[in-house]
Amino acid sequence: MNSRNKMVLLICPLFLISTLLSMGQSSFFSSGGAHTLALADNGTMFEGISSIYTNPAGLATINDFALDVGYNRRYNLEALSTVSLGGAKKIGASVFGVSVAQFGSSLYSESKAGLSYARKLFDNLNIGAGFNMLRYSIDQYGDTNVFTFEMGVQSKISNKLYLGVYVFSPAVASIVEDREIPTRYAMGLKYVASSKADIYVDISKTINRDPEFKLAVDYKLIDQFSVRFGGNITQERLNFGPAYMMKNGVGIFTGYSFDNRLGHSAGISLSYAR
């Protein structure tokens, strides 16, 4: 491949990545495969292993051990694909987790490796935190490593209403001069409408970007099968995905979204919990 063609291949994904960032969509906010995709990124009130990507406080609900692997292909472009893997183990009253995520291609990529900790302080309060290493790689330009952290809480307000708060990279962390890791704040609610339906509402704000308003529903058709759907009202994006939980603890999840401006995305996740 000559240098001109290689430069074209580099510029195209970088342009798309810049577009996503301008919309507040850092790749690190889309880890988790179908979990985040089907529920329109309403992750502040996730529980169990899926919360390792969106709010570590949710890990406190793990009873013993859990594992998750996910894949998200945004806008049907391989260069905008994210692969994520997370595992967590309860030790005493605490839960410890490890996660990795890889986004991009050989020309441009971002990766994240994280250590998480969660604990149930009271019957109605979970706390969690994570320490992350972020790596940015551009072909022929080298790599940059950045360290940052995240934290979150989840609280049971009543038997039907739950509240979560999450912040990613609250301290200034620079990638290069004049380019910083985007700080992101989120607040989410989960409302248990019935024995079959959970309603999620999320409001997130990335620094220097407009707030995002998201709504989703997880509806259980039968004991082991549910349908999840929702949308990002700010970005005019619709999301959908079925979920199947086997009795042996294995879960199969799929997700799909349609963005009115950029097209469709698809994701899949496999999980195990005991």
Side-chain angles (χ1 to χ4, degrees), residues 1-251:
M1 181 183 296
N2 60 47
S3 59
R4 181 177 180 182
N5 290 337
K6 195 169 186 177
M7 182 60 68
V8 171
L9 290 176
L10 175 62
I11 291 174
C12 288
L14 284 178
F15 173 76
L16 287 168
I17 290 165
S18 297
T19 301
L20 293 174
L21 290 174
S22 70
M23 297 165 57
Q25 288 295 301
S26 170
S27 65
F28 302 132
F29 304 153
S30 297
S31 301
H35 299 295
T36 54
L37 193 61
L39 287 168
D41 300 326
N42 277 268
T44 310
M45 276 309 306
F46 279 0
E47 296 180 348
I49 189 60
S50 60
S51 67
I52 200 169
Y53 310 112
T54 59
N55 185 354
L59 295 174
T61 62
I62 291 176
N63 294 321
D64 182 10
F65 171 78
L67 183 68
D68 180 87
V69 59
Y71 176 77
N72 183 349
R73 182 163 177 160
R74 281 188 281 177
Y75 314 118
N76 201 30
L77 294 172
E78 185 176 354
L80 298 182
S81 297
T82 302
V83 179
S84 49
L85 174 66
K89 170 68 176 175
K90 185 174 183 179
I91 301 175
S94 303
V95 178
F96 297 88
V98 178
S99 63
V100 293
Q102 173 73 33
F103 165 81
S105 65
S106 60
L107 297 177
Y108 176 86
S109 66
E110 302 175 12
S111 57
K112 173 185 174 184
L115 298 174
S116 302
Y117 171 83
R119 185 182 180 94
K120 183 180 289 293
L121 286 185
F122 309 104
D123 289 340
N124 60 350
L125 181 64
N126 300 332
I127 62 168
F131 178 74
N132 306 302
M133 185 186 79
L134 313 180
R135 184 180 182 90
Y136 298 82
S137 301
I138 301 179
D139 188 37
Q140 298 185 355
Y141 289 90
D143 307 323
T144 298
N145 296 325
V146 182
F147 295 91
T148 187
F149 65 98
E150 58 190 325
M151 63 183 73
V153 297
Q154 292 180 345
S155 178
K156 180 180 178 180
I157 307 301
S158 68
N159 289 333
K160 287 184 172 293
L161 186 63
Y162 299 78
L163 170 68
V165 178
Y166 168 76
V167 58
F168 177 86
S169 191
V172 175
S174 297
I175 305 173
V176 293
E177 187 176 355
D178 298 327
R179 177 70 186 278
E180 299 174 350
I181 301 295
T183 300
R184 180 173 182 260
Y185 302 93
M187 182 175 71
L189 293 171
K190 183 178 81 169
Y191 177 70
V192 181
S194 69
S195 61
K196 290 183 174 293
D198 292 334
I199 300 174
Y200 295 87
V201 179
D202 247 44
I203 302 174
S204 62
K205 177 73 169 69
T206 303
I207 295 300
N208 298 326
R209 308 297 177 196
D210 293 333
E212 296 181 37
F213 298 88
K214 293 159 284 187
L215 175 67
V217 177
D218 188 342
Y219 186 80
K220 184 181 295 185
L221 295 176
I222 57 177
D223 286 344
Q224 296 173 252
F225 183 80
S226 64
V227 175
R228 303 176 295 173
F229 55 92
N232 185 314
I233 299 172
T234 305
Q235 296 184 2
E236 301 178 7
R237 188 174 72 240
L238 298 176
N239 301 65
F240 171 81
Y244 179 62
M245 286 297 301
M246 304 180 190
K247 292 182 179 180
N248 61 2
V250 175

